[in-house]
């Protein structure tokens, strides 16, 4: 059975939580392949709100079993909390959650290092230690989940960190936030406790997923963040530390690339960005305030106001190409109700002439100016619409233009937070 991958097409916060929740209903497995608890996915079940940062959103459906793959980085203290919270809210994890024994750990000193190095202010990170944990992984000095389960190895590793941290703080002319001896004692105790909570769930998830593949089961790979935060293909250096694109599902879960056949790209009907970095279609002033307020654009993880702007089809077209997107899940369409004239960027003007795709780095993207096309807006609320034929003509035209420029069909439109607020989009020849 081919594997489905779900990716964000923009800079994250596209509404992937809801899309994963909907697709999960039909899946046997849902697996996270990258990132850490810097990602935040929001799902509404009735009036109940769940914000998951590490455990796949599929856990909120009855059927699928969920995997946290080795491409992620796991903060054991945080994961323990998320597991406890879900259990307290009646979500059963036993026999449903599997944690890779090879995922690298985010340990408390990674948070310290992130602040010490100024990554948080320079890049606008979430201050959760994700970047330094991936740095240790690439530097081959990280600790993995399997090491966490060995109390002796954990203690030795944490004690080794004392010397490293002492050197780093001394070189920066600063004192650590806590005396190191005390901190290491506390971390060792807390990590050992988290290890016991995690132990029954830890396994070789590569083998698990390959058995599932062989048995013809359906697997959904849940991407975190968005295409343009990808370490390699995003707007470097304003990117995250992992592979967020569809190909990341192969490396982050150990699945063969040939198995990744369906790629769902989640794209907001406009654009948002958190943190630093160029954003060609960004709005300012009252227009920005108004769109931010309508869309509730404040970070699920940090509460920070998101930067907002028009839909950038140059970016979306590139996301379609890089990820091999087979269908777009367009979210937050309801938010555009009441805007008289809606703009979409269809090309960039650059110092070297017109461009139909974004340059791969931040300095060059900063020089791009969008070329806009104006489309008529609509006044009708979309929140209770459930059929394509009931959508206002202007909404249908907006969707068609997206498909033409991005080169990919839109397969569903989300028109509100609830699970049920979705309009399936028929194939172009069946739209009537
Ligand atoms: P993710 O990081 O891509 O998973 O994005 P989030 O899970 O943080 O989703 C962003 C927010 O948008 C959440 O509060 C969702 O409930 C909400 N949301 C998702 N789809 C829609 C939609 O179609 N309309 C509206 N108004 N809100 C939505």
């Amino acid at each position: 059975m081919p594997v489905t991958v779900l990716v964000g097409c923009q800079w994250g916060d596209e509404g992937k939580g809801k899309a994963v929740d909907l697709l999960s209903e039909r899946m046997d497995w849902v697996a996270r392949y990258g990132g850490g608890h810097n990602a935040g996915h929001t799902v509404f079940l009735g009036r109940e709100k769940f914000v998951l940062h590490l455990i796949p959103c599929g856990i909120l459906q009855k059927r699928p079993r969920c995997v946290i793959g080795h491409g992620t980085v796991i903060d054991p203290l945080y994961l323990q909390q998320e597991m406890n919270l879900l259990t307290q809210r009646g979500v059963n994890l036993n026999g449903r959650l599997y944690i890779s024994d090879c995922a690298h750990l985010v340990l408390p000193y990674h948070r310290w290092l992130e602040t010490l190095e100024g990554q948080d202010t320079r890049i606008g990170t979430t201050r959760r230690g994700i970047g330094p944990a991936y740095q240790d992984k690439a530097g081959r000095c990280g600790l993995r989940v399997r090491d966490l389960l060995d109390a002796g190895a954990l203690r030795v590793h944490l004690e080794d960190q004392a010397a490293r941290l002492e050197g780093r703080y001394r070189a920066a002319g600063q004192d650590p936030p806590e005396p190191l001896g005390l901190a290491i004692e506390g971390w060792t105790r807390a990590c050992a406790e988290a290890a016991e909570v995690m132990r029954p769930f830890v396994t070789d998830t590569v083998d698990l997923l390959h058995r599932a593949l062989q048995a013809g089961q359906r697997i959904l790979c849940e991407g975190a963040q968005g295409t343009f935060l990808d370490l390699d293909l995003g707007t470097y250096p304003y990117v995250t530390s992992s592979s967020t694109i569809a190909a990341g599902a192969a490396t982050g879960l150990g699945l063969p690339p040939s198995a990744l056949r369906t790629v769902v790209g989640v794209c907001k009907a406009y654009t948002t960005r958190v943190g630093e970095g160029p954003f060609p279609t960004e709005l300012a002033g009252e227009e920005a305030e108004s769109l931010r307020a309508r869309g509730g654009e404040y970070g699920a993880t940090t509460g920070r106001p998101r930067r907002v702007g028009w839909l950038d089809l140059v970016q979306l077209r590139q996301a379609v190409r890089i990820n091999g997107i087979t269908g777009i899940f367009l979210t937050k369409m309801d938010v555009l109700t009441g805007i008289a004239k809606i703009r979409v960027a269809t090309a960039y003007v650059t110092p070297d002439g017109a461009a139909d795709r974004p340059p791969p780095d931040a300095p060059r993207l900063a020089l791009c100016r969008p070329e806009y096309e104006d489309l008529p807006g609509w006044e009708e609320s979309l929140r209770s619409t459930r059929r394509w034929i009931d959508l206002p003509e202007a909404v249908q035209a907006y969707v068609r233009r997206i498909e033409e420029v991005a080169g990919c069909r839109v397969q569903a439109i989300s028109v509100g937070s609830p699970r049920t607020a979705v309009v399936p989009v028929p194939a172009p020849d069946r739209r009537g």
Side-chain angles (χ1 to χ4, degrees), residues 136-276:
D136 280 0
K137 174 179 177 174
R140 285 157 289 182
C141 57
L143 200 72
R144 301 195 286 179
V145 168
R146 59 195 311 147
D147 309 311
L148 179 74
L149 303 185
D150 175 344
L154 174 67
R155 177 151 206 115
V156 169
H157 180 88
L158 289 174
E159 279 169 0
D160 283 350
Q161 296 309 310
R164 177 189 180 200
L165 290 168
E166 206 170 278
R168 298 287 291 274
Y169 277 96
R170 199 176 317 120
Q174 291 182 31
D175 289 324
E178 262 181 74
L180 283 170
L182 262 182
I184 294 215
E185 274 304 315
W187 296 342
T188 307
R189 233 178 301 118
C191 287
E193 195 187 306
E196 289 321 304
V197 173
M198 287 165 60
R199 189 183 296 278
F201 300 90
V202 175
T203 190
D204 174 353
T205 53
V206 175
D207 186 53
L208 197 69
L209 289 173
H210 275 267
R211 284 171 192 273
L213 265 186
Q214 252 168 5
Q217 295 178 343
R218 285 163 295 194
I219 302 172
L220 173 66
C221 307
E222 173 180 323
Q225 286 100 19
T227 298
F228 295 94
L229 291 174
D230 183 85
L231 181 57
D232 290 291
L233 291 149
T235 39
Y236 193 86
Y238 302 105
V239 291
T240 193
S241 315
S242 56
S243 176
T244 62
I245 58 170
T251 49
L253 293 168
L255 290 169
S258 54
L260 315 179
R261 300 274 179 76
T262 306
V263 182
V264 177
V266 184
C267 181
K268 221 178 260 193
Y270 49 96
T271 310
T272 62
R273 177 166 198 163
V274 171
E276 301 301 315

Side-chain angles (χ1 to χ4, degrees), residues 13-18 40-42 44 332 334-335 414-417:
D13 307 313
E14 295 94 347
K16 294 180 294 296
K18 174 171 169 176
H41 295 170
T42 313
F44 279 89
K332 297 194 118 174
D334 52 300
V335 173
S414 176
V415 290
S417 297

Side-chain angles (χ1 to χ4, degrees), residues 340-420:
K341 184 180 73 182
I342 301 176
R343 314 194 94 180
V344 289
T346 52
Y348 290 157
V349 180
T350 80
D352 305 321
D356 64 356
R357 61 195 159 87
D361 58 8
R364 278 192 290 163
L365 184 63
L367 298 176
C368 293
R369 297 284 160 262
E371 208 162 76
Y372 285 119
E373 215 173 272
D374 292 339
L375 298 168
W378 56 90
E379 286 298 324
E380 298 90 329
S381 165
L382 308 180
R383 294 229 164 116
S384 51
T385 308
R386 299 290 177 267
R387 297 188 310 168
W388 169 258
I389 52 165
D390 296 332
L391 286 169
E393 173 52 34
V395 175
Q396 296 185 355
Y398 190 63
V399 171
R400 278 196 293 270
R401 192 64 189 129
I402 291 172
E403 292 179 321
E404 277 162 16
V405 182
C408 182
R409 69 166 287 214
V410 172
Q411 63 183 44
I413 304 170
S414 176
V415 290
S417 297
R419 234 179 210 178
T420 50

